[in-house]
Amino acid sequence: MSLKIGIVGLPNVGKSTLFNALTKQAVAARNVPFTTIEPNVGVVPVPDERLEVLTKLSSSAKTVPTTIEFVDIAGLVKDAHQGEGLGNKFLSHIREVDAIVHVVRFFDNADVIHVANQVDPAQDAEIINTELALADLAHVDKALATDAKLVRSGQADKDTKVRAEGLEKIKVLLQQGKGAREAILSDKEVELLKQLPLLTSKPMLYVANVSEEQLATASTLIAPFESKFGTTLPLSIKIEQELIELPDEERLTFLQEYGLTETGLNRLIQAGYKLLNLVTFLTTGETETRAWTAAAGSTAPQAAGKIHSDMERGFIRAETVAYEDLVTTGSYAAARAAGKVRDEGKTYIVKDGDIFIFKFSV
């Protein structure tokens, strides 16, 4: 199943332009609210310098990066939870993603309409967060009413009572305008509430859309916002859009002019990958060098299952070498001779950068 990150925010903050830059797709990005009605989806490769190194080391015929999906969701407005601005439809699109990138406008440009006629990043973020919380509150109240009915009728089992306790914790937070992701829940409560489609339980990363002039001092500019709302990545989406249209050699010069070492898009993709709590493991050989995605905490058999279900079912062991050790020794044979290749069993927890050869029997 593909892992999806939804791009949300008020209208005209740069969501669709960011999506275009990420996916290099010609999606409508016009200076009017609700340009995006149906969500646009783009599959984006995750930048990983290790792939190029391993491809050369193994003389691989093909290089395959791992990917994540970005979903461009229409601009939300105040009272979206009540259906304002097609809000119910747009909120349902957010329920289908695994994490959220929340774009907030910091740039001031009289030619780009702001729905509130003034640029106020904190207020804009509060509007979106409040709408998500109110939408969640309606779901929580409905679920609590169902559980309360079971309790009153004497039909509530232990799980129902535990679930209700978890819902009450979340309700208190939502009423305070906070997210369900902030709730301190027991493992059992987490398990029982997993299927509840709460928007504010999803991990969220903020993107501060700054102007070219603001970019040099962006870290200072966004500091008060970040201290209040959490992890915030400053980007000039206008610059990023220009960068993708340049040849590679000109792109590097362009970045240097702004004192940057890599594109903001690369940083965003990597930050989104971390937001989803993922790790990358690698396979390499003459046929191909490939990056694979696994959830942090996955075991070696679970990682093998990402390649093929038969490999997980018939898992025997995993020949494992760390990326740094393979590169330092220069070849798989040299790494083995140096004692850097290990045999790991079914309980081994995958680390980012592990290179595997899976042994299995079916």
Side-chain angles (χ1 to χ4, degrees):
M1 189 177 83
S2 297
L3 291 158
K4 296 182 180 181
I5 296 180
I7 304 174
V8 307
L10 290 173
N12 292 350
V13 296
K15 300 182 309 303
S16 292
T17 305
L18 174 60
F19 178 82
N20 289 349
L22 279 166
T23 63
K24 302 183 183 179
Q25 293 186 25
V27 176
R30 293 159 47 215
N31 183 24
V32 292
F34 309 122
T35 299
T36 306
I37 296 178
E38 291 302 321
N40 303 297
V41 180
V43 179
V44 180
V46 177
D48 194 332
E49 294 177 351
R50 296 173 297 192
L51 288 175
E52 185 177 350
V53 175
L54 290 177
T55 296
K56 290 179 179 177
L57 188 147
S58 300
S59 300
S60 303
K62 186 168 64 172
T63 307
V64 185
T66 190
T67 61
I68 51 177
E69 288 188 14
F70 280 90
V71 184
D72 178 25
I73 296 168
L76 296 170
V77 294
K78 191 174 185 299
D79 295 328
H81 72 287
Q82 296 177 338
E84 188 67 29
L86 303 179
N88 289 332
K89 186 173 185 179
F90 300 160
L91 288 168
S92 71
H93 295 155
I94 301 173
R95 294 191 196 284
E96 296 171 4
V97 303
D98 301 293
I100 297 171
V101 166
H102 185 165
V103 182
V104 181
R105 176 174 168 178
F106 275 69
F107 71 89
D108 201 353
N109 185 337
D111 294 330
V112 180
I113 302 164
H114 189 288
V115 290
N117 296 316
Q118 63 174 350
V119 176
D120 186 334
Q123 179 177 287
D124 291 356
E126 290 284 12
I127 289 172
I128 298 295
N129 290 340
T130 297
E131 292 307 315
L132 299 182
L134 289 171
D136 278 355
L137 192 56
H139 273 273
V140 168
D141 281 340
K142 185 177 179 180
L144 275 171
T146 300
D147 288 351
K149 186 176 180 181
L150 290 171
V151 171
R152 286 196 303 272
S153 66
Q155 297 177 319
D157 58 16
K158 185 177 179 180
D159 282 356
T160 300
K161 294 175 182 177
V162 172
R163 170 185 149 100
E165 290 171 5
L167 287 168
E168 288 289 358
K169 293 177 185 178
I170 291 171
K171 182 174 180 176
V172 170
L173 288 170
L174 294 173
Q175 289 174 327
Q176 296 172 352
K178 298 177 181 178
R181 69 181 71 86
E182 298 180 49
I184 300 173
L185 303 173
S186 67
D187 291 343
K188 188 64 175 178
E189 287 169 340
V190 170
E191 179 189 337
L192 293 172
L193 294 171
K194 195 177 294 182
Q195 301 306 315
L196 197 67
L198 296 181
L199 302 167
T200 63
S201 66
K202 300 179 186 296
M204 181 182 285
L205 167 73
Y206 292 88
V207 166
N209 188 7
V210 301
S211 67
E212 294 180 57
E213 295 74 24
Q214 292 171 320
L215 191 57
T217 57
S219 296
T220 302
L221 177 67
I222 70 168
F225 180 93
E226 186 168 36
S227 66
K228 180 176 181 179
F229 292 98
T231 305
T232 305
L233 182 68
L235 291 181
S236 173
I237 295 175
K238 182 174 181 292
I239 289 177
E240 298 299 328
Q241 181 72 17
E242 293 172 3
L243 275 169
I244 65 165
E245 296 167 0
L246 295 175
D248 289 345
E249 61 275 9
E250 292 183 30
R251 191 177 301 151
L252 181 59
T253 303
F254 194 101
L255 284 169
Q256 289 172 343
E257 288 176 3
Y258 283 94
L260 303 172
T261 56
E262 64 177 333
T263 68
L265 297 182
N266 280 2
R267 288 186 287 119
L268 173 58
I269 296 166
Q270 290 159 351
Y273 197 73
K274 290 179 182 177
L275 188 66
L276 291 166
N277 198 25
L278 304 173
V279 294
T280 299
F281 68 91
L282 306 150
T283 55
T284 186
E286 290 185 3
T287 303
E288 69 174 22
T289 289
R290 183 186 287 256
W292 303 86
T293 297
S298 294
T299 62
Q302 289 170 332
K306 297 295 180 181
I307 299 175
H308 198 286
S309 58
D310 285 349
M311 297 176 72
E312 179 175 6
R313 189 169 61 251
F315 180 90
I316 299 172
R317 59 187 171 86
E319 286 190 10
T320 312
V321 59
Y323 167 81
E324 292 81 5
D325 290 337
L326 181 59
V327 172
T328 299
T329 54
S331 71
Y332 199 85
R336 182 186 291 281
K340 299 298 184 181
V341 178
R342 315 179 310 274
D343 280 340
E344 299 291 358
K346 294 182 178 181
T347 60
Y348 177 72
I349 302 299
V350 177
K351 298 181 179 62
D352 190 81
D354 276 343
I355 298 169
F356 287 124
I357 297 177
F358 293 111
K359 304 296 183 179
F360 65 102
S361 176
V362 292

